[in-house]
């Protein structure tokens, strides 16, 4: 028997990074006053259809929906925000204090075409803030994401931000976009012709070459922001700068869900090929009301847990395959003691050095040097130490020279840097 296509087992040998991410995320969320909430995986279909939008790819094509035995339409959750809002409204959480911060971690389901970085069951780390309309919390959430990635040792990630406007300014933008789409309709792909009717904004992030070309100078929401939205967006950018969060203003970032207003953002990486978004989110000031609650603003993000782990694995592989300049084979206590000092100093000077402390034989340590891909091996046995004449072997040419131990660190730097 085989697992369902697009689903994955996460095996014990791969669980380490998942646990590490979970711990770091939970620690950071607690520091910033988020509370954990656990939500069901199955909801009534309308919870998602109404919030995410009937005309989105997720609702139109990707949801796992089925009738239960009595005929009610149920859906495996494709994302967490809709359920969060459902719970916030259902339990009238706003009644005691509308300002609430939640996080949740768990599986989501979308019937997309599986490929690397895209699965039919995948995991998200999700955080939402209810009850604050201030741009400061938009910046806070992006800062939090940035901080989490920093703490996990990730580099090369970039925040892309955009503002999608509000009901006051979006109609102007949508009209201008529709006019353009109408005039370019011969050049658009099949999907975009359909999007023109159902969800025009999504044409802006179509990847088809013809559409990209036709819509190169398309109007964007940023061109049409009302004063309030513009001030809001400027504050987000100013606060991000103050907090040293690097970002790119990205006019084409529209996101795949209908409920967003004002700030939308994504954290992107270049290390995952086509699936470049590691996290995404935005403000959804109208959704609580649309789902039957009072008029309460909110904002949130979801991290693609699978992709985050993949970026980390790639990074570890790169680190793992870093060329090793020198492997020190130290035989006996004195050699071990001195070898250890040399290796620390050489690493500090930029000569990647490793040694082994298990007291293994020369033969097995030579094998280890090979396995690590060391360019050079320094052999310090009892005899070599006594005679002050160590052996430096070039593993590629197999040439060996003898080298004294008095100025060993400086001599090795000279020798290895020259090659
Ligand atoms: P979204 O809910 O579409 O905004 O997605 C938020 C994040 O979840 C994305 O940035 C991805 O990292 C991740 N994600 C979305 N769909 C998938 C999928 N099918 N497989 C793996 N990760 C996904």
């Amino acid at each position: 028997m085989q697992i369902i296509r697009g689903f994955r087992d996460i095996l014990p040998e791969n669980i380490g990074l998942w646990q590490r991410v979970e711990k770091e995320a939970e620690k950071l969320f607690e520091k910033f006053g988020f509370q954990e909430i656990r939500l069901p995986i199955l909801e009534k279909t309308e919870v998602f259809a109404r919030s995410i939008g009937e005309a989105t790819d997720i609702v139109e094509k990707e949801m796992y929906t089925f009738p239960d035995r009595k005929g009610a339409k149920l859906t495996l959750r494709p994302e967490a925000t809709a359920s969060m809002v459902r719970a916030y409204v259902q339990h009238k959480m706003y009644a005691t204090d509308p300002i609430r911060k939640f996080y949740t971690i768990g599986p989501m389901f979308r019937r997309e075409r599986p490929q690397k970085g895209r699965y039919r069951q995948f995991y998200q780390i999700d955080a939402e803030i209810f009850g604050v309309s201030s741009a400061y919390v938009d910046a806070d959430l992006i800062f939090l994401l940035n901080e989490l990635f920093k703490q996990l040792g990730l580099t090369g990630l970039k925040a892309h931000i955009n503002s999608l406007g509000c009901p006051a300014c979006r109609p102007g933008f949508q009209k201008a976009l529709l006019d353009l789409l109408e005039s370019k309709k011969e050049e658009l792909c099949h999907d975009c012709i359909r999007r023109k009717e159902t969800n025009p904004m999504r044409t802006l992030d179509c990847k088809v070459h013809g559409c990209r070309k036709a819509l190169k100078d398309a109007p964007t929401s940023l061109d049409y922001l009302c004063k309030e939205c513009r001030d809001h967006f400027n504050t987000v950018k100013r606060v991000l700068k103050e907090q040293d969060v690097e970002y790119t203003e990205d006019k084409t970032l529209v996101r795949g869900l209908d409920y967003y207003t004002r700030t939308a953002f994504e954290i992107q990486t270049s290390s995952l090929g086509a699936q470049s978004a590691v996290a995404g989110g935005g403000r959804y000031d109208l959704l609580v009301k649309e789902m039957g609650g009072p008029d309460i603003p909110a904002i949130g993000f979801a991290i693609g847990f699978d992709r985050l782990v993949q970026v980390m694995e790639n990074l570890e592989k790169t680190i793992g395959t870093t060329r090793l300049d020198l492997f020190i084979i130290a035989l006996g206590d004195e050699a071990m003691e001195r070898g250890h000092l040399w290796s620390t100093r050489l690493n500090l000077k930029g000569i990647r050095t490793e040694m082994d402390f298990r007291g293994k034989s020369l033969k097995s340590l030579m094998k280890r040097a090979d396995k690590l891909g060391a360019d050079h091996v320094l052999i310090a046995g009892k005899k070599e130490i006594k005679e002050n004449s160590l052996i430096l072997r070039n593993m590629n040419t197999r040439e060996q020279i003898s080298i004294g131990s008095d100025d060993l660190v400086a001599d090795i730097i000279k020798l290895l840097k020259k090659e």
Side-chain angles (χ1 to χ4, degrees):
M1 285 204 213
Q2 295 288 311
I3 199 168
I4 307 167
R5 189 165 125 82
F7 285 59
R8 299 196 296 162
D9 296 315
I10 298 158
L11 301 175
E13 52 264 42
N14 302 117
I15 206 74
L17 285 177
W18 291 80
Q19 291 174 332
R20 205 179 122 208
V21 170
E22 236 162 49
K23 279 195 196 118
E24 288 292 339
E26 283 170 359
K27 245 183 5 209
L28 199 64
F29 285 141
E30 304 283 338
K31 273 191 198 159
F32 281 81
F34 287 76
Q35 294 174 299
E36 186 179 2
I37 183 168
R38 295 193 188 186
L39 302 160
I41 285 169
L42 206 56
E43 296 263 7
K44 289 182 186 155
T45 303
E46 66 195 31
V47 170
F48 306 112
R50 271 184 49 195
S51 56
I52 298 169
E54 298 278 1
T56 55
D57 282 354
I58 296 178
V59 173
E60 264 188 352
K61 303 192 276 205
E62 297 168 1
M63 294 201 310
Y64 283 95
T65 297
F66 53 90
D68 83 350
R69 286 171 189 253
K70 294 223 168 119
K73 249 173 113 183
L74 304 179
T75 294
L76 280 173
R77 64 176 181 193
E79 58 114 41
T81 305
S83 302
M84 284 271 200
V85 177
R86 198 256 320 126
Y88 181 78
V89 174
Q90 177 173 344
H91 303 289
K92 296 195 171 57
M93 295 193 202
Y94 48 81
T96 34
D97 184 357
I99 300 177
R100 307 295 289 264
K101 301 183 193 180
F102 301 126
Y103 75 89
T104 196
I105 302 177
M108 310 293 153
F109 304 84
R110 293 183 198 172
R111 205 177 182 292
E112 297 188 82
R113 197 168 53 77
Q115 63 184 80
K116 200 172 160 67
R118 200 207 268 155
Y119 310 100
R120 290 181 169 178
Q121 174 176 332
F122 59 98
Y123 294 78
Q124 284 188 340
I125 302 172
D126 194 272
E128 318 279 343
I129 300 179
F130 289 93
V132 190
S133 60
S134 162
Y136 283 98
V137 302
D138 305 33
D140 277 351
L141 277 187
I142 299 169
F143 173 80
L144 203 74
L145 274 174
N146 197 55
E147 196 55 35
L148 177 63
F149 294 147
K150 236 170 43 189
Q151 287 181 15
L152 293 170
L154 299 181
T155 51
L157 297 178
K158 188 125 202 184
H160 287 237
I161 63 171
N162 192 14
S163 175
L164 302 175
C166 70
C169 51
R170 204 179 284 174
F173 155 58
Q174 273 178 327
K175 180 169 182 319
L177 179 60
L178 274 175
D179 288 347
L180 180 85
L181 292 174
E182 188 56 36
S183 73
K184 301 265 181 186
K185 69 177 174 212
E186 261 77 64
E187 299 163 53
L188 301 179
C189 73
H190 223 69
D191 276 340
C192 280
I193 296 283
R194 193 173 47 84
R195 288 180 187 129
K196 181 165 99 54
E197 307 305 325
T198 55
N199 198 350
M201 231 164 45
R202 286 313 304 260
T203 56
L204 293 179
D205 75 347
C206 180
K207 305 282 183 289
V208 175
H209 179 70
C211 299
R212 287 203 152 179
K213 205 166 139 223
L215 301 176
K216 186 167 56 69
D217 299 317
T220 64
S221 49
L222 280 189
D223 306 329
Y224 286 82
L225 292 186
C226 59
K227 180 169 182 315
E228 285 75 17
C229 285
R230 178 151 301 286
D231 289 348
H232 187 98
F233 194 48
N234 286 338
T235 306
V236 175
K237 291 191 289 184
R238 179 171 52 76
V239 178
L240 286 178
K241 267 205 195 106
E242 272 167 16
Q243 294 185 319
D244 287 329
V245 177
E246 269 188 57
Y247 66 85
T248 306
E249 197 173 301
D250 184 347
K251 295 195 280 195
T252 63
L253 181 75
V254 292
R255 316 273 300 121
L257 304 89
D258 275 0
Y259 51 61
Y260 288 115
T261 47
R262 293 196 167 163
T263 316
F265 53 91
E266 257 178 26
I267 309 294
Q268 299 186 0
T269 168
S270 52
S271 74
L272 283 183
Q275 307 307 320
S276 59
V278 185
R283 184 165 273 291
Y284 50 93
D285 289 343
L286 310 173
L287 189 58
V288 176
K289 187 156 185 220
E290 263 165 37
M291 289 188 72
D295 192 1
I296 287 176
I299 179 166
F301 66 67
I303 299 172
F305 203 158
D306 307 66
R307 290 191 197 166
L308 177 57
V309 167
Q310 218 164 334
V311 176
M312 292 172 73
E313 277 169 358
N314 290 351
L315 199 75
E316 297 218 331
K317 264 185 218 139
T318 337
I319 293 168
T321 53
T322 310
R323 228 189 66 256
L324 190 59
D325 293 313
L326 183 69
F327 186 76
I328 298 179
I329 294 182
L331 305 166
D333 290 345
E334 195 188 342
M336 196 84 89
E337 184 88 14
R338 299 183 68 182
H340 174 243
L341 270 183
W342 295 329
S343 108
T344 314
R345 289 185 188 149
L346 285 164
N347 271 322
L348 281 176
K349 295 284 183 195
I351 305 281
R352 278 276 300 118
T353 306
E354 288 286 345
M355 63 181 285
D356 192 294
F357 301 98
R358 291 173 296 180
K360 299 248 175 188
S361 69
L362 175 63
K363 193 169 156 211
S364 95
L365 290 173
M366 282 303 283
K367 271 199 198 142
R368 174 112 186 110
D370 245 350
K371 188 170 171 197
L372 292 175
D375 282 341
H376 295 84
V377 168
L378 180 74
I379 301 168
K382 282 195 187 110
K383 178 167 157 277
E384 286 80 13
I385 291 276
K386 199 164 149 225
E387 293 173 4
N388 195 11
S389 167
L390 313 186
I391 298 165
L392 184 68
R393 179 182 170 93
N394 182 321
M395 296 293 274
N396 303 314
T397 62
R398 297 183 187 173
E399 258 174 69
Q400 297 196 162
I401 56 169
S402 61
I403 173 170
S405 65
D406 299 339
D407 284 319
L408 188 110
V409 170
D411 290 344
I412 293 222
I413 291 170
K414 244 187 272 159
L415 282 164
L416 265 54
K417 289 224 159 131
K418 209 163 62 188
E419 278 181 17

